Amino acid sequence: MTDSDKTIYKICREQAGYTQYRAAELLNCSVRQLARYEAGVKRPSVENLTKLASVLETLTDAILRRNTA
Protein backbone atom coordinates (compact mmCIF):
# COMPACT_ATOMS: atom_id res chain seq x y z
CA MET A 1 0.00 0.00 0.00
CA THR A 2 1.47 3.35 -1.01
CA ASP A 3 1.25 6.63 0.90
CA SER A 4 -1.42 7.89 -1.49
CA ASP A 5 -3.48 4.74 -0.91
CA LYS A 6 -3.28 5.25 2.83
CA THR A 7 -4.95 8.64 2.68
CA ILE A 8 -7.96 7.90 0.44
CA TYR A 9 -10.27 7.43 3.41
CA LYS A 10 -9.07 10.71 4.90
CA ILE A 11 -9.46 12.53 1.57
CA CYS A 12 -13.02 11.24 1.18
CA ARG A 13 -13.85 12.11 4.78
CA GLU A 14 -12.54 15.64 4.43
CA GLN A 15 -14.35 16.12 1.11
CA ALA A 16 -17.57 15.08 2.85
CA GLY A 17 -16.84 17.73 5.49
CA TYR A 18 -16.53 15.42 8.50
CA THR A 19 -14.07 15.34 11.35
CA GLN A 20 -12.71 11.96 12.35
CA TYR A 21 -14.88 12.09 15.44
CA ARG A 22 -18.10 12.81 13.50
CA ALA A 23 -17.36 10.23 10.80
CA ALA A 24 -16.61 7.58 13.43
CA GLU A 25 -19.84 8.45 15.19
CA LEU A 26 -21.82 8.04 11.96
CA LEU A 27 -20.03 4.78 11.19
CA ASN A 28 -20.66 3.51 14.70
CA CYS A 29 -16.98 2.77 15.17
CA SER A 30 -14.19 4.22 17.27
CA VAL A 31 -12.05 7.14 16.17
CA ARG A 32 -9.09 4.80 16.64
CA GLN A 33 -10.52 2.32 14.12
CA LEU A 34 -11.15 5.06 11.56
CA ALA A 35 -7.66 6.46 12.13
CA ARG A 36 -6.24 2.99 11.38
CA TYR A 37 -8.09 2.92 8.06
CA GLU A 38 -6.79 6.38 7.24
CA ALA A 39 -3.22 5.46 8.19
CA GLY A 40 -3.33 2.27 6.14
CA VAL A 41 -2.75 0.10 9.19
CA LYS A 42 -6.02 -1.73 8.71
CA ARG A 43 -8.45 -2.20 5.84
CA PRO A 44 -12.19 -2.07 6.45
CA SER A 45 -14.30 -5.19 6.05
CA VAL A 46 -16.73 -5.27 3.14
CA GLU A 47 -19.54 -4.32 5.52
CA ASN A 48 -17.56 -1.38 6.94
CA LEU A 49 -16.43 -0.31 3.48
CA THR A 50 -20.07 -0.13 2.42
CA LYS A 51 -20.96 1.94 5.50
CA LEU A 52 -17.91 4.14 4.95
CA ALA A 53 -18.87 4.85 1.34
CA SER A 54 -22.41 5.68 2.38
CA VAL A 55 -21.39 8.04 5.17
CA LEU A 56 -18.74 9.71 3.00
CA GLU A 57 -21.20 10.06 0.14
CA THR A 58 -19.11 8.17 -2.38
CA LEU A 59 -19.17 4.77 -4.07
CA THR A 60 -17.27 1.74 -2.87
CA ASP A 61 -15.97 1.38 -6.43
CA ALA A 62 -14.45 4.86 -6.25
CA ILE A 63 -12.65 4.00 -3.01
CA LEU A 64 -11.47 0.63 -4.28
CA ARG A 65 -10.24 2.01 -7.59
CA ARG A 66 -8.28 4.70 -5.78
CA ASN A 67 -6.78 2.06 -3.50
CA THR A 68 -5.64 -0.12 -6.40
CA ALA A 69 -4.23 2.67 -8.59
Side-chain angles (χ1 to χ4, degrees), residues 7-42:
T7 61
I8 190 59
Y9 304 109
K10 182 177 181 177
I11 291 167
C12 289
R13 175 182 56 78
E14 289 175 342
Q15 285 177 348
Y18 294 122
T19 62
Q20 268 189 336
Y21 179 82
R22 181 63 179 144
E25 187 176 60
L26 293 169
L27 290 165
N28 198 29
C29 74
S30 67
V31 173
R32 183 177 179 183
Q33 182 177 355
L34 182 58
R36 287 180 173 172
Y37 297 156
E38 291 184 0
V41 174
K42 186 175 179 180

PDB file of all heavy atoms in Angstrom, residues 7-42:
ATOM      1  N   THR A   7      -4.208   7.432   2.342  1.00  0.00           N
ATOM      2  CA  THR A   7      -4.955   8.638   2.680  1.00  0.00           C
ATOM      3  C   THR A   7      -6.319   8.730   2.004  1.00  0.00           C
ATOM      4  O   THR A   7      -7.040   9.676   2.253  1.00  0.00           O
ATOM      5  CB  THR A   7      -4.143   9.891   2.319  1.00  0.00           C
ATOM      6  OG1 THR A   7      -3.901   9.900   0.923  1.00  0.00           O
ATOM      7  CG2 THR A   7      -2.843   9.952   3.077  1.00  0.00           C
ATOM      8  N   ILE A   8      -6.702   7.781   1.192  1.00  0.00           N
ATOM      9  CA  ILE A   8      -7.955   7.898   0.442  1.00  0.00           C
ATOM     10  C   ILE A   8      -9.153   8.034   1.364  1.00  0.00           C
ATOM     11  O   ILE A   8     -10.073   8.814   1.091  1.00  0.00           O
ATOM     12  CB  ILE A   8      -8.141   6.733  -0.562  1.00  0.00           C
ATOM     13  CG1 ILE A   8      -9.311   7.028  -1.482  1.00  0.00           C
ATOM     14  CG2 ILE A   8      -8.340   5.408   0.146  1.00  0.00           C
ATOM     15  CD1 ILE A   8      -9.175   8.286  -2.280  1.00  0.00           C
ATOM     16  N   TYR A   9      -9.147   7.327   2.473  1.00  0.00           N
ATOM     17  CA  TYR A   9     -10.267   7.431   3.407  1.00  0.00           C
ATOM     18  C   TYR A   9     -10.316   8.824   4.027  1.00  0.00           C
ATOM     19  O   TYR A   9     -11.377   9.404   4.185  1.00  0.00           O
ATOM     20  CB  TYR A   9     -10.173   6.361   4.496  1.00  0.00           C
ATOM     21  CG  TYR A   9     -10.103   4.965   3.919  1.00  0.00           C
ATOM     22  CD1 TYR A   9      -8.939   4.228   3.962  1.00  0.00           C
ATOM     23  CD2 TYR A   9     -11.214   4.413   3.290  1.00  0.00           C
ATOM     24  CE1 TYR A   9      -8.879   2.957   3.404  1.00  0.00           C
ATOM     25  CE2 TYR A   9     -11.164   3.147   2.727  1.00  0.00           C
ATOM     26  CZ  TYR A   9      -9.983   2.424   2.791  1.00  0.00           C
ATOM     27  OH  TYR A   9      -9.927   1.184   2.240  1.00  0.00           O
ATOM     28  N   LYS A  10      -9.141   9.357   4.334  1.00  0.00           N
ATOM     29  CA  LYS A  10      -9.070  10.708   4.897  1.00  0.00           C
ATOM     30  C   LYS A  10      -9.522  11.740   3.869  1.00  0.00           C
ATOM     31  O   LYS A  10     -10.274  12.656   4.188  1.00  0.00           O
ATOM     32  CB  LYS A  10      -7.653  11.014   5.363  1.00  0.00           C
ATOM     33  CG  LYS A  10      -7.526  12.377   6.000  1.00  0.00           C
ATOM     34  CD  LYS A  10      -6.130  12.624   6.519  1.00  0.00           C
ATOM     35  CE  LYS A  10      -6.033  13.994   7.165  1.00  0.00           C
ATOM     36  NZ  LYS A  10      -4.715  14.243   7.731  1.00  0.00           N
ATOM     37  N   ILE A  11      -9.079  11.594   2.631  1.00  0.00           N
ATOM     38  CA  ILE A  11      -9.464  12.527   1.569  1.00  0.00           C
ATOM     39  C   ILE A  11     -10.981  12.522   1.400  1.00  0.00           C
ATOM     40  O   ILE A  11     -11.611  13.576   1.358  1.00  0.00           O
ATOM     41  CB  ILE A  11      -8.762  12.179   0.240  1.00  0.00           C
ATOM     42  CG1 ILE A  11      -7.272  12.464   0.349  1.00  0.00           C
ATOM     43  CG2 ILE A  11      -9.387  12.936  -0.921  1.00  0.00           C
ATOM     44  CD1 ILE A  11      -6.444  11.878  -0.775  1.00  0.00           C
ATOM     45  N   CYS A  12     -11.565  11.347   1.327  1.00  0.00           N
ATOM     46  CA  CYS A  12     -13.023  11.242   1.175  1.00  0.00           C
ATOM     47  C   CYS A  12     -13.747  11.838   2.372  1.00  0.00           C
ATOM     48  O   CYS A  12     -14.755  12.529   2.222  1.00  0.00           O
ATOM     49  CB  CYS A  12     -13.438   9.791   0.970  1.00  0.00           C
ATOM     50  SG  CYS A  12     -12.985   9.109  -0.630  1.00  0.00           S
ATOM     51  N   ARG A  13     -13.230  11.578   3.566  1.00  0.00           N
ATOM     52  CA  ARG A  13     -13.851  12.108   4.781  1.00  0.00           C
ATOM     53  C   ARG A  13     -13.813  13.631   4.782  1.00  0.00           C
ATOM     54  O   ARG A  13     -14.818  14.295   5.055  1.00  0.00           O
ATOM     55  CB  ARG A  13     -13.139  11.566   6.032  1.00  0.00           C
ATOM     56  CG  ARG A  13     -13.658  12.179   7.322  1.00  0.00           C
ATOM     57  CD  ARG A  13     -12.926  11.673   8.546  1.00  0.00           C
ATOM     58  NE  ARG A  13     -11.499  11.833   8.556  1.00  0.00           N
ATOM     59  CZ  ARG A  13     -10.862  12.994   8.815  1.00  0.00           C
ATOM     60  NH1 ARG A  13     -11.532  14.085   9.063  1.00  0.00           N
ATOM     61  NH2 ARG A  13      -9.540  13.025   8.820  1.00  0.00           N
ATOM     62  N   GLU A  14     -12.668  14.188   4.442  1.00  0.00           N
ATOM     63  CA  GLU A  14     -12.542  15.645   4.427  1.00  0.00           C
ATOM     64  C   GLU A  14     -13.408  16.266   3.335  1.00  0.00           C
ATOM     65  O   GLU A  14     -14.004  17.324   3.542  1.00  0.00           O
ATOM     66  CB  GLU A  14     -11.083  16.050   4.260  1.00  0.00           C
ATOM     67  CG  GLU A  14     -10.267  15.754   5.505  1.00  0.00           C
ATOM     68  CD  GLU A  14      -8.788  16.034   5.344  1.00  0.00           C
ATOM     69  OE1 GLU A  14      -8.304  16.142   4.189  1.00  0.00           O
ATOM     70  OE2 GLU A  14      -8.103  16.127   6.381  1.00  0.00           O
ATOM     71  N   GLN A  15     -13.500  15.615   2.184  1.00  0.00           N
ATOM     72  CA  GLN A  15     -14.348  16.122   1.106  1.00  0.00           C
ATOM     73  C   GLN A  15     -15.820  16.109   1.515  1.00  0.00           C
ATOM     74  O   GLN A  15     -16.586  16.967   1.090  1.00  0.00           O
ATOM     75  CB  GLN A  15     -14.148  15.310  -0.175  1.00  0.00           C
ATOM     76  CG  GLN A  15     -12.848  15.625  -0.872  1.00  0.00           C
ATOM     77  CD  GLN A  15     -12.623  14.765  -2.106  1.00  0.00           C
ATOM     78  OE1 GLN A  15     -13.322  13.780  -2.345  1.00  0.00           O
ATOM     79  NE2 GLN A  15     -11.632  15.137  -2.893  1.00  0.00           N
ATOM     80  N   ALA A  16     -16.191  15.145   2.359  1.00  0.00           N
ATOM     81  CA  ALA A  16     -17.569  15.078   2.852  1.00  0.00           C
ATOM     82  C   ALA A  16     -17.802  16.086   3.979  1.00  0.00           C
ATOM     83  O   ALA A  16     -18.936  16.296   4.393  1.00  0.00           O
ATOM     84  CB  ALA A  16     -17.891  13.665   3.325  1.00  0.00           C
ATOM     85  N   GLY A  17     -16.727  16.706   4.471  1.00  0.00           N
ATOM     86  CA  GLY A  17     -16.844  17.733   5.493  1.00  0.00           C
ATOM     87  C   GLY A  17     -16.941  17.218   6.919  1.00  0.00           C
ATOM     88  O   GLY A  17     -17.450  17.915   7.799  1.00  0.00           O
ATOM     89  N   TYR A  18     -16.436  16.006   7.166  1.00  0.00           N
ATOM     90  CA  TYR A  18     -16.531  15.416   8.498  1.00  0.00           C
ATOM     91  C   TYR A  18     -15.184  15.407   9.211  1.00  0.00           C
ATOM     92  O   TYR A  18     -14.147  15.198   8.595  1.00  0.00           O
ATOM     93  CB  TYR A  18     -17.019  13.966   8.431  1.00  0.00           C
ATOM     94  CG  TYR A  18     -18.432  13.822   7.938  1.00  0.00           C
ATOM     95  CD1 TYR A  18     -18.718  13.060   6.820  1.00  0.00           C
ATOM     96  CD2 TYR A  18     -19.490  14.432   8.603  1.00  0.00           C
ATOM     97  CE1 TYR A  18     -20.015  12.916   6.359  1.00  0.00           C
ATOM     98  CE2 TYR A  18     -20.802  14.291   8.150  1.00  0.00           C
ATOM     99  CZ  TYR A  18     -21.048  13.539   7.035  1.00  0.00           C
ATOM    100  OH  TYR A  18     -22.339  13.402   6.590  1.00  0.00           O
ATOM    101  N   THR A  19     -15.232  15.593  10.516  1.00  0.00           N
ATOM    102  CA  THR A  19     -14.066  15.344  11.346  1.00  0.00           C
ATOM    103  C   THR A  19     -13.973  13.840  11.552  1.00  0.00           C
ATOM    104  O   THR A  19     -14.932  13.109  11.296  1.00  0.00           O
ATOM    105  CB  THR A  19     -14.217  16.018  12.728  1.00  0.00           C
ATOM    106  OG1 THR A  19     -15.348  15.438  13.400  1.00  0.00           O
ATOM    107  CG2 THR A  19     -14.373  17.521  12.608  1.00  0.00           C
ATOM    108  N   GLN A  20     -12.831  13.383  12.043  1.00  0.00           N
ATOM    109  CA  GLN A  20     -12.709  11.956  12.354  1.00  0.00           C
ATOM    110  C   GLN A  20     -13.750  11.559  13.389  1.00  0.00           C
ATOM    111  O   GLN A  20     -14.366  10.497  13.274  1.00  0.00           O
ATOM    112  CB  GLN A  20     -11.316  11.626  12.908  1.00  0.00           C
ATOM    113  CG  GLN A  20     -10.323  11.220  11.890  1.00  0.00           C
ATOM    114  CD  GLN A  20      -9.047  10.697  12.525  1.00  0.00           C
ATOM    115  OE1 GLN A  20      -8.720  11.015  13.662  1.00  0.00           O
ATOM    116  NE2 GLN A  20      -8.321   9.913  11.772  1.00  0.00           N
ATOM    117  N   TYR A  21     -13.932  12.400  14.377  1.00  0.00           N
ATOM    118  CA  TYR A  21     -14.883  12.086  15.435  1.00  0.00           C
ATOM    119  C   TYR A  21     -16.298  11.915  14.879  1.00  0.00           C
ATOM    120  O   TYR A  21     -16.974  10.942  15.186  1.00  0.00           O
ATOM    121  CB  TYR A  21     -14.863  13.180  16.512  1.00  0.00           C
ATOM    122  CG  TYR A  21     -15.847  12.917  17.624  1.00  0.00           C
ATOM    123  CD1 TYR A  21     -15.523  12.046  18.667  1.00  0.00           C
ATOM    124  CD2 TYR A  21     -17.106  13.495  17.614  1.00  0.00           C
ATOM    125  CE1 TYR A  21     -16.427  11.778  19.682  1.00  0.00           C
ATOM    126  CE2 TYR A  21     -18.022  13.229  18.626  1.00  0.00           C
ATOM    127  CZ  TYR A  21     -17.672  12.374  19.647  1.00  0.00           C
ATOM    128  OH  TYR A  21     -18.577  12.098  20.640  1.00  0.00           O
ATOM    129  N   ARG A  22     -16.728  12.868  14.045  1.00  0.00           N
ATOM    130  CA  ARG A  22     -18.099  12.812  13.499  1.00  0.00           C
ATOM    131  C   ARG A  22     -18.260  11.618  12.568  1.00  0.00           C
ATOM    132  O   ARG A  22     -19.280  10.920  12.604  1.00  0.00           O
ATOM    133  CB  ARG A  22     -18.442  14.121  12.781  1.00  0.00           C
ATOM    134  CG  ARG A  22     -19.836  14.142  12.211  1.00  0.00           C
ATOM    135  CD  ARG A  22     -20.894  14.030  13.300  1.00  0.00           C
ATOM    136  NE  ARG A  22     -22.228  14.080  12.700  1.00  0.00           N
ATOM    137  CZ  ARG A  22     -23.261  13.402  13.128  1.00  0.00           C
ATOM    138  NH1 ARG A  22     -23.172  12.642  14.192  1.00  0.00           N
ATOM    139  NH2 ARG A  22     -24.412  13.486  12.519  1.00  0.00           N
ATOM    140  N   ALA A  23     -17.275  11.368  11.719  1.00  0.00           N
ATOM    141  CA  ALA A  23     -17.357  10.230  10.795  1.00  0.00           C
ATOM    142  C   ALA A  23     -17.418   8.922  11.574  1.00  0.00           C
ATOM    143  O   ALA A  23     -18.222   8.040  11.253  1.00  0.00           O
ATOM    144  CB  ALA A  23     -16.175  10.231   9.831  1.00  0.00           C
ATOM    145  N   ALA A  24     -16.595   8.796  12.609  1.00  0.00           N
ATOM    146  CA  ALA A  24     -16.608   7.578  13.430  1.00  0.00           C
ATOM    147  C   ALA A  24     -17.961   7.403  14.105  1.00  0.00           C
ATOM    148  O   ALA A  24     -18.488   6.287  14.175  1.00  0.00           O
ATOM    149  CB  ALA A  24     -15.490   7.633  14.469  1.00  0.00           C
ATOM    150  N   GLU A  25     -18.521   8.498  14.567  1.00  0.00           N
ATOM    151  CA  GLU A  25     -19.838   8.453  15.192  1.00  0.00           C
ATOM    152  C   GLU A  25     -20.890   7.947  14.199  1.00  0.00           C
ATOM    153  O   GLU A  25     -21.700   7.083  14.519  1.00  0.00           O
ATOM    154  CB  GLU A  25     -20.189   9.862  15.676  1.00  0.00           C
ATOM    155  CG  GLU A  25     -21.439   9.985  16.484  1.00  0.00           C
ATOM    156  CD  GLU A  25     -21.632  11.406  16.989  1.00  0.00           C
ATOM    157  OE1 GLU A  25     -21.735  12.337  16.161  1.00  0.00           O
ATOM    158  OE2 GLU A  25     -21.674  11.566  18.213  1.00  0.00           O
ATOM    159  N   LEU A  26     -20.869   8.463  12.982  1.00  0.00           N
ATOM    160  CA  LEU A  26     -21.818   8.042  11.955  1.00  0.00           C
ATOM    161  C   LEU A  26     -21.602   6.595  11.526  1.00  0.00           C
ATOM    162  O   LEU A  26     -22.544   5.898  11.149  1.00  0.00           O
ATOM    163  CB  LEU A  26     -21.736   8.964  10.739  1.00  0.00           C
ATOM    164  CG  LEU A  26     -22.206  10.398  10.969  1.00  0.00           C
ATOM    165  CD1 LEU A  26     -21.824  11.277   9.776  1.00  0.00           C
ATOM    166  CD2 LEU A  26     -23.702  10.442  11.213  1.00  0.00           C
ATOM    167  N   LEU A  27     -20.359   6.153  11.569  1.00  0.00           N
ATOM    168  CA  LEU A  27     -20.027   4.776  11.194  1.00  0.00           C
ATOM    169  C   LEU A  27     -20.255   3.789  12.338  1.00  0.00           C
ATOM    170  O   LEU A  27     -20.163   2.578  12.141  1.00  0.00           O
ATOM    171  CB  LEU A  27     -18.564   4.688  10.757  1.00  0.00           C
ATOM    172  CG  LEU A  27     -18.220   5.352   9.443  1.00  0.00           C
ATOM    173  CD1 LEU A  27     -16.717   5.519   9.314  1.00  0.00           C
ATOM    174  CD2 LEU A  27     -18.783   4.543   8.291  1.00  0.00           C
ATOM    175  N   ASN A  28     -20.504   4.340  13.520  1.00  0.00           N
ATOM    176  CA  ASN A  28     -20.664   3.510  14.705  1.00  0.00           C
ATOM    177  C   ASN A  28     -19.401   2.701  14.977  1.00  0.00           C
ATOM    178  O   ASN A  28     -19.442   1.486  15.229  1.00  0.00           O
ATOM    179  CB  ASN A  28     -21.894   2.599  14.597  1.00  0.00           C
ATOM    180  CG  ASN A  28     -22.329   2.055  15.934  1.00  0.00           C
ATOM    181  OD1 ASN A  28     -22.122   2.699  16.957  1.00  0.00           O
ATOM    182  ND2 ASN A  28     -22.921   0.874  15.924  1.00  0.00           N
ATOM    183  N   CYS A  29     -18.260   3.388  14.875  1.00  0.00           N
ATOM    184  CA  CYS A  29     -16.979   2.767  15.174  1.00  0.00           C
ATOM    185  C   CYS A  29     -16.162   3.759  16.009  1.00  0.00           C
ATOM    186  O   CYS A  29     -16.567   4.897  16.201  1.00  0.00           O
ATOM    187  CB  CYS A  29     -16.234   2.371  13.902  1.00  0.00           C
ATOM    188  SG  CYS A  29     -15.505   3.728  12.968  1.00  0.00           S
ATOM    189  N   SER A  30     -15.027   3.333  16.475  1.00  0.00           N
ATOM    190  CA  SER A  30     -14.187   4.217  17.272  1.00  0.00           C
ATOM    191  C   SER A  30     -13.359   5.116  16.359  1.00  0.00           C
ATOM    192  O   SER A  30     -13.099   4.787  15.194  1.00  0.00           O
ATOM    193  CB  SER A  30     -13.251   3.402  18.164  1.00  0.00           C
ATOM    194  OG  SER A  30     -12.305   2.704  17.377  1.00  0.00           O
ATOM    195  N   VAL A  31     -12.941   6.250  16.903  1.00  0.00           N
ATOM    196  CA  VAL A  31     -12.045   7.143  16.167  1.00  0.00           C
ATOM    197  C   VAL A  31     -10.749   6.399  15.870  1.00  0.00           C
ATOM    198  O   VAL A  31     -10.177   6.545  14.791  1.00  0.00           O
ATOM    199  CB  VAL A  31     -11.783   8.439  16.968  1.00  0.00           C
ATOM    200  CG1 VAL A  31     -10.720   9.292  16.307  1.00  0.00           C
ATOM    201  CG2 VAL A  31     -13.066   9.231  17.146  1.00  0.00           C
ATOM    202  N   ARG A  32     -10.317   5.589  16.809  1.00  0.00           N
ATOM    203  CA  ARG A  32      -9.086   4.802  16.635  1.00  0.00           C
ATOM    204  C   ARG A  32      -9.186   3.874  15.421  1.00  0.00           C
ATOM    205  O   ARG A  32      -8.253   3.764  14.628  1.00  0.00           O
ATOM    206  CB  ARG A  32      -8.817   4.000  17.893  1.00  0.00           C
ATOM    207  CG  ARG A  32      -7.547   3.226  17.854  1.00  0.00           C
ATOM    208  CD  ARG A  32      -7.326   2.529  19.170  1.00  0.00           C
ATOM    209  NE  ARG A  32      -6.086   1.761  19.109  1.00  0.00           N
ATOM    210  CZ  ARG A  32      -5.647   1.007  20.078  1.00  0.00           C
ATOM    211  NH1 ARG A  32      -6.320   0.913  21.203  1.00  0.00           N
ATOM    212  NH2 ARG A  32      -4.528   0.334  19.947  1.00  0.00           N
ATOM    213  N   GLN A  33     -10.327   3.220  15.261  1.00  0.00           N
ATOM    214  CA  GLN A  33     -10.515   2.324  14.123  1.00  0.00           C
ATOM    215  C   GLN A  33     -10.474   3.113  12.815  1.00  0.00           C
ATOM    216  O   GLN A  33      -9.808   2.709  11.864  1.00  0.00           O
ATOM    217  CB  GLN A  33     -11.834   1.573  14.235  1.00  0.00           C
ATOM    218  CG  GLN A  33     -12.080   0.597  13.111  1.00  0.00           C
ATOM    219  CD  GLN A  33     -13.365  -0.203  13.285  1.00  0.00           C
ATOM    220  OE1 GLN A  33     -14.047  -0.101  14.296  1.00  0.00           O
ATOM    221  NE2 GLN A  33     -13.691  -1.000  12.303  1.00  0.00           N
ATOM    222  N   LEU A  34     -11.158   4.234  12.768  1.00  0.00           N
ATOM    223  CA  LEU A  34     -11.150   5.060  11.563  1.00  0.00           C
ATOM    224  C   LEU A  34      -9.746   5.575  11.274  1.00  0.00           C
ATOM    225  O   LEU A  34      -9.301   5.585  10.126  1.00  0.00           O
ATOM    226  CB  LEU A  34     -12.132   6.223  11.717  1.00  0.00           C
ATOM    227  CG  LEU A  34     -12.267   7.151  10.513  1.00  0.00           C
ATOM    228  CD1 LEU A  34     -12.699   6.386   9.263  1.00  0.00           C
ATOM    229  CD2 LEU A  34     -13.250   8.263  10.819  1.00  0.00           C
ATOM    230  N   ALA A  35      -9.037   5.977  12.301  1.00  0.00           N
ATOM    231  CA  ALA A  35      -7.659   6.458  12.131  1.00  0.00           C
ATOM    232  C   ALA A  35      -6.768   5.357  11.548  1.00  0.00           C
ATOM    233  O   ALA A  35      -5.883   5.626  10.730  1.00  0.00           O
ATOM    234  CB  ALA A  35      -7.104   6.946  13.459  1.00  0.00           C
ATOM    235  N   ARG A  36      -7.013   4.122  11.933  1.00  0.00           N
ATOM    236  CA  ARG A  36      -6.241   2.995  11.385  1.00  0.00           C
ATOM    237  C   ARG A  36      -6.525   2.805   9.896  1.00  0.00           C
ATOM    238  O   ARG A  36      -5.620   2.495   9.131  1.00  0.00           O
ATOM    239  CB  ARG A  36      -6.542   1.711  12.143  1.00  0.00           C
ATOM    240  CG  ARG A  36      -5.930   1.679  13.505  1.00  0.00           C
ATOM    241  CD  ARG A  36      -6.255   0.404  14.225  1.00  0.00           C
ATOM    242  NE  ARG A  36      -5.517   0.341  15.481  1.00  0.00           N
ATOM    243  CZ  ARG A  36      -5.711  -0.581  16.393  1.00  0.00           C
ATOM    244  NH1 ARG A  36      -6.615  -1.526  16.197  1.00  0.00           N
ATOM    245  NH2 ARG A  36      -5.020  -0.566  17.503  1.00  0.00           N
ATOM    246  N   TYR A  37      -7.768   2.982   9.490  1.00  0.00           N
ATOM    247  CA  TYR A  37      -8.087   2.924   8.057  1.00  0.00           C
ATOM    248  C   TYR A  37      -7.348   4.024   7.323  1.00  0.00           C
ATOM    249  O   TYR A  37      -6.742   3.800   6.276  1.00  0.00           O
ATOM    250  CB  TYR A  37      -9.589   3.105   7.807  1.00  0.00           C
ATOM    251  CG  TYR A  37     -10.515   2.056   8.369  1.00  0.00           C
ATOM    252  CD1 TYR A  37     -11.836   2.368   8.618  1.00  0.00           C
ATOM    253  CD2 TYR A  37     -10.092   0.765   8.632  1.00  0.00           C
ATOM    254  CE1 TYR A  37     -12.724   1.426   9.130  1.00  0.00           C
ATOM    255  CE2 TYR A  37     -10.963  -0.189   9.151  1.00  0.00           C
ATOM    256  CZ  TYR A  37     -12.276   0.146   9.391  1.00  0.00           C
ATOM    257  OH  TYR A  37     -13.151  -0.782   9.895  1.00  0.00           O
ATOM    258  N   GLU A  38      -7.410   5.229   7.882  1.00  0.00           N
ATOM    259  CA  GLU A  38      -6.791   6.384   7.237  1.00  0.00           C
ATOM    260  C   GLU A  38      -5.275   6.266   7.173  1.00  0.00           C
ATOM    261  O   GLU A  38      -4.654   6.767   6.242  1.00  0.00           O
ATOM    262  CB  GLU A  38      -7.197   7.669   7.946  1.00  0.00           C
ATOM    263  CG  GLU A  38      -8.656   8.007   7.751  1.00  0.00           C
ATOM    264  CD  GLU A  38      -9.059   9.329   8.373  1.00  0.00           C
ATOM    265  OE1 GLU A  38      -8.212  10.020   8.970  1.00  0.00           O
ATOM    266  OE2 GLU A  38     -10.256   9.676   8.252  1.00  0.00           O
ATOM    267  N   ALA A  39      -4.669   5.620   8.159  1.00  0.00           N
ATOM    268  CA  ALA A  39      -3.217   5.455   8.189  1.00  0.00           C
ATOM    269  C   ALA A  39      -2.751   4.252   7.370  1.00  0.00           C
ATOM    270  O   ALA A  39      -1.558   4.064   7.162  1.00  0.00           O
ATOM    271  CB  ALA A  39      -2.741   5.310   9.634  1.00  0.00           C
ATOM    272  N   GLY A  40      -3.688   3.442   6.914  1.00  0.00           N
ATOM    273  CA  GLY A  40      -3.326   2.265   6.137  1.00  0.00           C
ATOM    274  C   GLY A  40      -2.888   1.092   6.979  1.00  0.00           C
ATOM    275  O   GLY A  40      -2.374   0.105   6.463  1.00  0.00           O
ATOM    276  N   VAL A  41      -3.113   1.179   8.287  1.00  0.00           N
ATOM    277  CA  VAL A  41      -2.746   0.097   9.194  1.00  0.00           C
ATOM    278  C   VAL A  41      -3.720  -1.063   9.062  1.00  0.00           C
ATOM    279  O   VAL A  41      -3.348  -2.219   9.181  1.00  0.00           O
ATOM    280  CB  VAL A  41      -2.713   0.616  10.657  1.00  0.00           C
ATOM    281  CG1 VAL A  41      -2.490  -0.512  11.647  1.00  0.00           C
ATOM    282  CG2 VAL A  41      -1.658   1.688  10.797  1.00  0.00           C
ATOM    283  N   LYS A  42      -4.965  -0.727   8.816  1.00  0.00           N
ATOM    284  CA  LYS A  42      -6.019  -1.735   8.713  1.00  0.00           C
ATOM    285  C   LYS A  42      -6.935  -1.387   7.547  1.00  0.00           C
ATOM    286  O   LYS A  42      -7.147  -0.215   7.244  1.00  0.00           O
ATOM    287  CB  LYS A  42      -6.818  -1.755  10.023  1.00  0.00           C
ATOM    288  CG  LYS A  42      -7.839  -2.833  10.103  1.00  0.00           C
ATOM    289  CD  LYS A  42      -8.496  -2.876  11.465  1.00  0.00           C
ATOM    290  CE  LYS A  42      -9.534  -3.980  11.452  1.00  0.00           C
ATOM    291  NZ  LYS A  42     -10.219  -4.107  12.716  1.00  0.00           N
TER     292      LYS A  42
END
